[in-house]
Amino acid sequence: MQLVRGLHNLRPQHRGCVATIGNFDGVHRGHQAILARLRERAIELGVPSCVVIFEPQPREFFAPDTAPARLARLRDKLQLLAEEGVDRVLCLAFNQRLSKLSANEFVDTILVDGLGVQHLEVGDDFRFGCDRIGDFDFLQHAGVLQGFTVEAAQTVELDGIRVSSTQVRNALAAADFALAERLLGRPFRIAGRVLHGQKLARQLGTPTANIQLKRRRVPLTGVYLVNVDIDGKTWPGVANIGVRPTVQGDGKAHLEVHLLDFAGDLYDRRLTVVFHHKLREEQRFASLEALKTAINADVAAARALSHLAPIANEEP
């Protein structure tokens, strides 16, 4: 899959494609249905498929403190899009200039002059342009004038629930990982690189991997039973995701994972943490000794519930 960062990096060879536009946060089953149709149309027309995304996402630009928590970082989103067979991603910097484009200017500048779109797939609730008049009807009319076709993606429902990023966030907030997995089409996971931390957990007898989150908000907080993928091997573990209220922190969310029965150096390695069951809420303890007691209880609970997070490989 080819990644093009910004309109200024579009070249003549990038013109002529079928495209879709959106945040694609989480690349859930609703997104997957759009991408499947996009692949079909690309094959029919003999052109590449292109997904147009924004970084930051528009709501993060306009209201960063209240924007929804991301389900996936940009790196993970790109990996998921590649797995869905997307040929090209155009990632546009959502800045003041882009936010001021009218719907007409967006169509002319990005879709027609930039991409030479032949066909466009959009979600049924898609709107764009600083004037907010850009919707499906607008695109259909523009397509007649500019020579491209437009198709509205059908809503995907599971047991009467509309599949959306919001519904996935709601499932995660309720610790309903089975529902989140059904909506996503895969278990919910967070990947990141292990950084050096305060090493306090090591002093408490339960060393943890401090995983870089690189996001303003996270879609879940608390202590969880998890599996951790490391170089093709899977290990059970206990994860804490939150602001670490018992110790002096930086106010940002951190993901710390203690792997059960693992010994080794994980610094600078990239781990994938798969969430299975919530053990408890994050809480502030009166002392480090009380925190140590709680961590030991979490590890015992994780061992007792390990059947909820089975692993396929044998431990070395």
Side-chain angles (χ1 to χ4, degrees):
M1 186 184 76
Q2 182 183 23
L3 172 63
V4 180
R5 297 294 295 259
L7 278 176
H8 62 284
N9 283 319
L10 285 175
R11 299 293 182 263
Q13 63 265 29
H14 296 139
R15 288 180 53 80
C17 65
V18 299
T20 186
I21 311 167
N23 289 327
F24 286 87
D25 187 25
V27 193
H28 53 62
R29 290 179 66 174
H31 296 142
Q32 292 164 28
I34 295 175
L35 297 173
R37 182 58 184 155
L38 193 71
R39 288 196 307 272
E40 292 175 2
R41 294 295 285 150
I43 293 171
E44 290 171 5
L45 296 174
V47 294
S49 60
C50 178
V51 175
V52 181
I53 60 174
F54 307 98
E55 190 66 28
Q57 295 173 172
R59 289 182 67 181
E60 293 171 341
F61 174 80
F62 290 114
D65 293 330
T66 59
R70 285 213 189 188
L71 298 174
R73 290 169 45 196
L74 176 61
R75 172 176 177 158
D76 302 317
K77 181 191 301 187
L78 293 173
Q79 177 63 39
L80 291 168
L81 291 172
E83 291 172 3
E84 292 299 318
V86 173
D87 296 313
R88 183 179 301 141
V89 170
L90 172 60
C91 183
L92 298 176
F94 199 91
N95 50 28
Q96 197 69 27
R97 180 180 178 185
L98 185 62
S99 72
K100 295 297 184 183
L101 288 182
S102 68
N104 274 312
E105 290 170 332
F106 186 96
V107 169
D108 291 343
T109 302
I110 297 171
L111 300 183
V112 178
D113 296 338
L115 291 173
V117 166
Q118 296 183 24
H119 175 79
L120 191 64
E121 292 278 332
V122 292
D124 52 9
D125 57 353
F126 178 67
R127 298 190 72 91
F128 66 99
C130 67
D131 44 20
R132 300 296 291 166
I133 67 169
D135 59 10
F136 179 74
D137 291 337
F138 178 92
L139 285 169
Q140 275 197 315
H141 179 68
V144 171
L145 297 177
Q146 302 279 14
F148 61 86
T149 55
V150 185
E151 183 176 11
Q154 298 300 309
T155 297
V156 175
E157 292 189 356
L158 290 175
D159 299 330
I161 300 174
R162 180 180 183 273
V163 179
S164 68
S165 299
T166 298
Q167 290 292 355
V168 177
R169 293 187 195 98
N170 291 342
L172 293 175
D176 191 342
F177 293 106
L179 176 57
E181 180 173 351
R182 292 184 63 217
L183 296 171
L184 289 168
R186 63 185 181 280
F188 177 72
R189 62 195 64 190
I190 294 178
R193 193 168 300 282
V194 178
L195 304 177
H196 288 274
Q198 295 176 312
K199 298 181 174 60
L200 178 62
R202 185 180 302 276
Q203 299 172 33
L204 297 176
T206 50
T208 60
N210 181 30
I211 298 176
Q212 189 176 32
L213 287 176
K214 282 190 177 179
R215 55 181 91 190
R216 183 180 292 270
R217 297 178 62 197
V218 289
L220 72 175
T221 59
V223 181
Y224 298 89
L225 168 67
V226 300
N227 279 344
V228 182
D229 296 333
I230 309 172
D231 297 336
K233 293 285 187 179
T234 302
W235 297 84
V238 178
N240 181 89
I241 186 165
V243 296
R244 302 182 295 187
T246 303
V247 299
Q248 184 177 3
D250 54 12
K252 298 178 181 179
H254 291 261
L255 172 58
E256 295 177 300
V257 185
H258 171 66
L259 276 64
L260 305 184
D261 305 318
F262 177 87
D265 186 355
L266 294 174
Y267 290 121
D268 294 323
R269 296 172 75 176
R270 184 173 173 82
L271 310 186
T272 300
V273 182
V274 183
F275 291 79
H276 293 285
H277 178 76
K278 188 168 189 175
L279 300 174
R280 62 173 174 85
E281 298 288 348
E282 184 181 46
Q283 62 189 95
R284 180 183 178 89
F285 294 96
S287 66
L288 291 181
E289 190 60 33
L291 173 60
K292 180 179 180 179
T293 299
I295 292 174
N296 290 336
D298 295 336
V299 171
R303 291 188 184 280
L305 296 170
S306 60
H307 61 282
L308 299 177
I311 57 176
N313 57 271
E314 296 182 358
E315 295 180 3

